[in-house]
Amino acid sequence: MMSNAAVEAAKDATQPTPAQGWSTACQPSIQASIIIVNFNGGDKVLRCLASVIRSVDQNDEIIIIDNASTDGSVEAIAAGFPHLILIRSQANSGFGAGNNLGARRARGEYLVFLNPDTLVEAGWLEALLASLEANPRAGLATAKVLLA
């Protein structure tokens, strides 16, 4: 079960500011679609989402696929992150199928797949996309993984 403190911290840290907007109605195009598959991610997925939101702008979209979580995480995501795209799967069809579901919904020029326990730092997305822009024949890029 999600702690009330975790849900409240997620709400406080991630509400969009007027400058961010997060309104898809005024976005001319989406640069990156960040897809995160959750299954009983608990507080980890909330921390992941908070870190992602702090590091992206209105030209990116965040899509969360919930694979039929039973730990309260999907409710916490819906309450704490109402401005994100949340797709609720009726069954846990696995990580790959969840990513495919998110990819079908995505509108971005680039697809970015993150694990729900990932914590990102400022500039991560720009660096990742810059490597793809600099190498147009590249089909994918991956970030450096640091274990905590």
Side-chain angles (χ1 to χ4, degrees):
M1 193 59 146
M2 303 297 301
S3 69
N4 287 339
V7 173
E8 290 306 313
K11 284 183 186 178
D12 292 343
T14 61
Q15 290 303 310
T17 64
Q20 288 174 315
W22 294 104
S23 170
T24 57
C26 63
Q27 292 180 343
S29 65
I30 303 296
Q31 178 181 16
S33 296
I34 301 160
I35 300 166
I36 302 167
V37 177
N38 177 58
F39 176 68
N40 292 336
D43 292 341
K44 288 181 181 180
V45 71
L46 298 178
R47 288 191 299 271
C48 171
L49 291 171
S51 76
V52 171
I53 288 170
R54 284 191 299 268
S55 66
V56 299
D57 62 32
Q58 65 185 9
N59 293 321
D60 306 308
E61 67 181 355
I62 303 169
I63 302 170
I64 301 99
I65 309 301
D66 185 77
N67 265 342
S69 292
T70 58
D71 68 341
S73 58
V74 68
E75 292 82 4
I77 292 167
F81 305 91
H83 53 287
L84 304 183
I85 300 164
L86 174 60
I87 300 171
R88 298 177 191 224
S89 180
Q90 297 302 311
N92 183 355
S93 55
F95 185 73
N99 279 312
N100 287 336
L101 182 59
R104 283 192 297 275
R105 170 60 174 81
R107 298 175 296 144
E109 179 179 354
Y110 295 99
L111 299 179
V112 180
F113 299 98
L114 287 181
N115 288 340
D117 60 349
T118 303
L119 297 177
V120 298
E121 297 179 356
W124 73 277
L125 185 58
E126 292 83 1
L128 190 67
L129 298 182
S131 68
L132 290 171
E133 293 284 337
N135 300 288
R137 295 185 61 204
L140 75 107
T142 187
K144 182 176 183 178
V145 176
L146 302 174
L147 301 177

